[in-house]
């Protein structure tokens, strides 16, 4: 079964500390994975995709096929990073499967 | 380009009633997807329409239905509303070139009493 799992509903991190939002997936083919973010009172939007291998707002995510993971990382958390983060998988049948999301709370 | 728009933004209905939500995609986007967002279940996929045809469907009961018009605008209908249908309903559109990149609307907040 195709599935995206985000084990943490809430993650609280102090400002300046490293952040790691976990995402594991279950997919038999070659996955395309994404992170979406929803800031307070803003729309859900694409943050980054694994194929682009870029860093957006200091965040990076590496696809680990052996561990079937796509964790989102940032070395130094900032208060503006507080948001809801969703990991998503595109299954090439034009269907996107979202995880249940992790709320990231940056503590001052 | 104008973003995805959804109407109405807020809606209060009573159990047993039905409701219709509307979504206008970004100009040129032919795919429209609907999601239900709740604190407990997160983002759950309802269905996707492409060129007036339902292309994908999530695991929701038949009370949830949708359609898409020739101008790509889409409507979602929920019949016989239940208290558990209270949620934020999000619509998203995507282009043919990048179907994985969903552009979300602001959502319709539905409260069932």
């Amino acid at each position: 079964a195709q599935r995206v799992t985000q084990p943490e509903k809430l993650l609280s991190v102090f400002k300046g500390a490293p952040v790691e939002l976990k995402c594991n997936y279950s997919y038999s083919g070659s996955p395309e994975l994404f992170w979406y973010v929803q800031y307070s009172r803003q729309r859900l939007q694409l943050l980054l995709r694994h194929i682009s291998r870029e860093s957006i707002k200091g965040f990076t995510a590496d696809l680990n096929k052996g561990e079937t993971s796509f964790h989102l990382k940032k070395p130094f958390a900032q208060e503006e990073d507080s948001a809801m983060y969703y990991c998503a998988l595109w299954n090439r049948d034009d269907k996107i499967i979202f995880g249940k999301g992790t709320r990231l709370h940056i503590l001052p | 380009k104008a973003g995805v728009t959804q109407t109405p933004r807020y809606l209060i209905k009573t159990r047993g009633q039905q409701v219709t939500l509307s979504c206008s995609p970004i100009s040129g986007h032919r795919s429209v997807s609907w999601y239900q967002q709740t604190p407990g279940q997160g983002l759950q996929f309802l269905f996707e329409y492409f060129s007036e045809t339902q292309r994908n469907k999530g695991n929701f009961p038949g009370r949830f239905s949708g359609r898409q018009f020739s101008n790509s605008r889409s409507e979602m209908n929920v019949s016989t509303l239940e208290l558990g249908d209270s949620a934020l309903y999000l619509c998203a559109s995507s282009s043919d070139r990048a179907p994985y990149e969903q552009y979300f609307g602001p959502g319709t907040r539905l409260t069932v009493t």
Side-chain angles (χ1 to χ4, degrees), chain B residues 4-8 18-25 30-35 46-50 52-54 63-79 89-92 108:
Chain B
V4 176
T5 58
Q6 291 186 246
T7 57
Q18 75 158 16
V19 67
T20 298
L21 313 181
S22 182
C23 170
S24 291
R30 293 193 290 171
S31 169
V32 174
S33 298
W34 288 90
Y35 298 86
L46 280 153
F47 29 65
E48 184 222 357
Y49 285 86
F50 181 85
E52 301 180 66
T53 301
Q54 188 180 87
R63 300 185 296 108
F64 291 81
S65 63
R67 59 177 176 168
Q68 187 180 32
F69 303 95
S70 58
N71 62 357
S72 294
R73 190 177 69 84
S74 177
E75 286 182 348
M76 189 191 102
N77 184 275
V78 188
S79 62
Y89 289 88
L90 294 172
C91 162
T108 294

Side-chain angles (χ1 to χ4, degrees), chain B residues 6 8 12-13 29 32-33 36 55 66 75 95 97 103 112:
Chain B
Q6 291 186 246
I12 300 175
K13 292 284 188 179
H29 286 188
V32 174
S33 298
Q36 183 193 67
R55 189 159 67 172
E75 286 182 348
S95 67
R97 182 184 55 82
Y103 290 84
V112 182

